Amino acid sequence: MKKTAFLIVLFSTVLFSDFLIYAQTYRYTRYWVELKDKKGTPYSIEDANSFLSQKALIRRGKAGIPIDSSDLPVNPAYIQQVAQLGIEVLGSSKWLNSLIVEINDSTQLSALSNESFVTDIKPVYRIEEEDIPRPVAVREKKSLVFAHNTYGAADAQMELVNGKYLHDKSYTGKGKTIAVLDAGFSGTPEISAFSDLYANNRILEGGDLVKNSPDIYAKSTHGTLVLSVMGGKIDSQFTGAAPDANYVLFRTENTDSEYPIEEHFWILAAEKADSMGVDIINSSLGYSTFQDTTLNYSYSDMDGQTTAITRGATMAAKKGILVVTSAGNSGSSDWYYITAPADADGVLTVGAVNTAGDLAPFSSRGPSYDGRIKPDVVGVGWNTALIDQNGDVRKGNGTSFSAPHIAGMAACLWQAAPDLSSAEMLEVIRQSSDRYHNPDNDYGYGIPNFGKAYLLALNEGGNENIKALEANVFPNPFTDHLNLLMKVEEAETVKVQLVDYIGRIVFENDWQLEAGVYSEMRMNGIQTLHRGVYFVRIQREDSWEVVKVLKL
């Protein structure tokens, strides 16, 4: 049975079909419409070139990610039928098979609810007489004293995550593309810190989803600050985390109000980014409460599968994109916990520390409601060096800035290890972090070390906690079981785990090893696992090893 409640000024009710509609008058004008299927679509998986770019297809192929029905665009016949009702279709989501529509007439709402291909209608935006401005990240206005080196004000934040290690090897994000989903990029083309990006055509304007316009520069400067953490560069004053990456800019956030429609704009932008073949999405946005409090989420909704934006972020990760998102700035508030989409499966959620590694009081805490470690890692988001809308170097506070710093470094790492999948990238960054063996709900797996991540990614060793592989794991790929074979000089007991691509432990056992002989262990009961990449994690007293395996 289809049920949807629509909020209005007056609350008398009329029943249309199976939908409950409050109908004398209403304040909502935009709705999220979920569709039944994609039957009759003219698109086909065999002709994926018609809706995915070559770059996107190459990325999928390298990661072994198949094209499936979720990649097919919404059936245009359904869009046409909705339009014939006099309803404006503002956008469509192929991943969630849904539409964003604008309705100003209750009869249109009734007619739409009676269409056989419509399964649900949810209000996502209403016109307010006076929109409540959203708070923005706190920024200091004092100028900084610059260090006498290439990084200037950004030196300490690069040092904390050992980011210079990659830059010194000339891995600066070149060839990798980062989609930035934010609130606007006002002033960006005029700022000299971005002149190299524009001069070399390394900034693409993805569009303003909020206004359905190509102009991404008309509104907020928040995205400008976020972009600077990754791509900004001023000689001897500032160098961002990925100064040579490519960037695609999308405006999905409306700073004049706060409604769930912004989640759906985010999804549309993520789908467009996927079709363009981007490697990484950086999202410095989070959702928990709205101006209409009846639409607010609760902590129980932070379970990785409830909110629309979380479902969209999970889909983006499944398509082979590394999604990096802010944990949220609620650590000092009554909410306290992460905000959507930070709870998404397979997404790299980033909390905030300062350059001394101290946790920012405002950094949102985990775990996800279903008990997964969140945040995944932390980065500098407390007194973060950045470039403001005037082209000046300043400092800012917020996980809005820790996420892009980690996203930028991830682009550099991926340039160095281009054969890694996004799931492998996520796991390597976790493994490199200083609390990997003892994660918690404040720091997650800790502060990444991108020098260590590089060694892990290339299997080069070189760290006291990373030893040459001593365990043989076979068969690989596997179907119903795995065998482990290992020889040690002294008898010991090790912990063996099988971990999926989002960090969930799907198998765990202690393994008793005898001295001087080959010990063998067999993992049974794993035949029902979903296909994809997994990691065998072997934890010893003074070291640990990780082996990537593929489930067919």
Side-chain angles (χ1 to χ4, degrees):
M1 183 176 182
K2 301 181 289 184
K3 291 183 179 179
T4 303
F6 302 100
L7 303 175
I8 57 163
V9 178
L10 301 177
F11 293 95
S12 59
T13 65
V14 179
L15 188 64
F16 292 105
S17 184
D18 293 326
F19 289 84
L20 185 62
I21 301 174
Y22 296 92
Q24 282 191 358
T25 183
Y26 58 88
R27 299 165 66 184
Y28 276 91
T29 60
R30 293 182 177 182
Y31 299 84
W32 181 250
V33 181
E34 297 183 3
L35 307 177
K36 183 178 181 180
D37 53 41
K38 294 182 178 179
K39 289 181 180 179
T41 179
Y43 299 99
S44 68
I45 294 172
E46 291 72 22
D47 188 27
N49 284 300
S50 65
F51 50 85
L52 291 175
S53 69
Q54 189 64 26
K55 186 176 180 182
L57 293 172
I58 291 172
R59 188 194 69 223
R60 297 281 189 92
K62 286 176 64 176
I65 299 172
I67 310 300
D68 60 28
S69 61
S70 65
D71 294 301
L72 298 176
V74 169
N75 189 340
Y78 291 162
I79 296 176
Q80 184 178 8
Q81 285 178 253
V82 172
Q84 287 174 348
L85 297 175
I87 297 171
E88 183 178 1
V89 178
L90 302 177
S92 62
S93 166
K94 59 184 179 182
W95 290 346
L96 303 187
N97 197 27
S98 304
L99 305 174
I100 301 175
V101 302
E102 182 153 340
I103 298 176
N104 295 294
D105 186 329
S106 60
T107 61
Q108 293 176 335
L109 190 60
S110 173
L112 182 62
S113 70
N114 286 321
E115 291 289 350
S116 61
F117 56 84
V118 173
T119 61
D120 201 1
I121 306 174
K122 298 175 181 177
V124 292
Y125 179 76
R126 70 185 183 191
I127 296 175
E128 294 286 341
E129 292 181 1
E130 183 179 356
D131 284 334
I132 302 171
R134 289 189 66 212
V136 296
V138 179
R139 292 183 290 279
E140 296 181 3
K141 293 300 182 182
K142 296 179 181 179
S143 296
L144 303 174
V145 177
F146 304 127
H148 295 290
N149 57 44
T150 303
Y151 295 94
D155 186 76
Q157 61 204 46
M158 289 295 294
E159 196 70 50
L160 184 70
V161 297
N162 200 12
K164 296 178 185 178
Y165 182 96
L166 292 177
H167 284 199
D168 288 346
K169 290 181 175 291
S170 299
Y171 298 123
T172 52
K174 188 175 182 179
K176 309 309 289 184
T177 302
I178 303 173
V180 187
L181 279 56
D182 216 283
F185 303 87
S186 180
T188 303
E190 292 78 38
I191 297 173
S192 61
F194 301 124
S195 59
D196 183 61
L197 296 179
Y198 281 100
N200 291 285
N201 298 314
R202 289 192 284 111
I203 286 189
L204 298 177
E205 299 166 4
D208 181 343
L209 280 298
V210 178
K211 296 293 186 182
N212 194 25
S213 163
D215 184 8
I216 56 173
Y217 303 117
K219 293 295 288 186
S220 172
T221 61
H222 187 268
T224 307
L225 309 182
V226 167
L227 177 63
S228 76
V229 176
M230 295 179 280
K233 189 172 184 179
I234 304 174
D235 288 345
S236 301
Q237 295 185 28
F238 186 93
T239 299
D244 292 324
N246 304 308
Y247 296 93
V248 185
L249 311 182
F250 293 95
R251 179 179 177 238
T252 67
E253 171 75 0
N254 185 355
T255 53
D256 295 329
S257 62
E258 186 74 338
Y259 285 100
I261 193 170
E262 294 161 34
E263 298 182 61
H264 303 293
F265 291 145
W266 191 102
I267 295 167
L268 302 190
E271 291 181 7
K272 187 173 181 180
D274 171 54
S275 68
M276 296 170 69
V278 305
D279 303 291
I280 297 170
I281 286 176
N282 178 81
S283 174
S284 292
L285 304 168
Y287 300 92
S288 57
T289 58
F290 302 97
Q291 284 175 237
D292 181 351
T293 58
T294 65
L295 301 179
N296 285 355
Y297 296 129
S298 65
Y299 174 50
S300 63
D301 294 317
M302 303 296 119
D303 60 358
Q305 57 186 346
T306 297
T307 72
I309 193 170
T310 293
R311 290 158 56 202
T314 300
M315 285 294 293
K318 288 181 178 179
K319 301 303 180 184
I321 299 172
L322 178 65
V323 181
V324 183
T325 188
S326 301
N329 299 330
S330 301
S332 299
S333 73
D334 291 340
W335 177 270
Y336 185 73
Y337 294 106
I338 55 173
T339 53
D343 62 316
D345 285 348
V347 165
L348 187 65
T349 300
V350 185
V353 294
N354 62 16
T355 54
D358 302 319
L359 188 71
F362 57 78
S363 186
S364 288
R365 310 304 209 274
S368 63
Y369 185 73
D370 56 327
R372 286 172 289 114
I373 292 294
K374 289 288 179 179
D376 293 274
V377 297
V378 290
V380 177
W382 188 7
N383 287 330
T384 310
L386 47 79
I387 299 167
D388 68 14
Q389 66 273 19
N390 299 314
D392 298 324
V393 179
R394 298 285 185 260
K395 284 188 176 179
N397 294 333
T399 56
S400 286
F401 307 129
S402 57
H405 194 244
I406 297 302
M409 292 312 311
C412 301
L413 179 61
W414 218 344
Q415 178 193 357
D419 292 332
L420 291 187
S421 68
S422 60
E424 292 167 335
M425 279 288 298
L426 180 60
E427 180 62 17
V428 163
I429 292 171
R430 284 175 178 155
Q431 289 174 26
S432 76
S433 301
D434 63 352
R435 296 174 184 243
Y436 181 67
H437 296 298
N438 297 289
D440 59 35
N441 297 322
D442 298 332
Y443 291 82
Y445 293 97
I447 301 168
N449 178 331
F450 281 92
K452 182 176 177 180
Y454 172 85
L455 298 175
L456 284 166
L458 274 64
N459 291 319
E460 290 187 2
N463 183 285
E464 65 274 12
N465 291 323
I466 308 170
K467 294 187 175 181
L469 184 63
E470 297 178 11
N472 295 304
V473 180
F474 59 94
N476 189 12
F478 71 95
T479 54
D480 58 358
H481 73 280
L482 279 167
N483 294 317
L484 282 71
L485 192 64
M486 191 170 179
K487 182 179 179 180
V488 292
E489 294 181 1
E490 298 181 5
E492 63 175 298
T493 300
V494 299
K495 183 176 291 296
V496 178
Q497 297 173 333
L498 185 64
V499 182
D500 69 10
Y501 81 103
I502 62 171
R504 292 180 299 200
I505 298 171
V506 296
F507 177 94
E508 185 173 40
N509 199 14
D510 291 335
W511 184 15
Q512 310 260 335
L513 301 173
E514 298 181 29
V517 298
Y518 278 100
S519 300
E520 186 170 358
M521 175 182 170
R522 183 182 176 100
M523 287 189 192
N524 290 315
I526 56 177
Q527 66 274 9
T528 59
L529 294 176
H530 295 298
R531 296 173 58 186
V533 174
Y534 292 81
F535 301 92
V536 177
R537 182 187 295 164
I538 302 169
Q539 185 168 341
R540 306 178 66 181
E541 183 176 348
D542 61 349
S543 66
W544 50 274
E545 304 168 19
V546 175
V547 184
K548 182 187 73 173
V549 292
L550 182 64
K551 169 71 165 62
L552 297 179

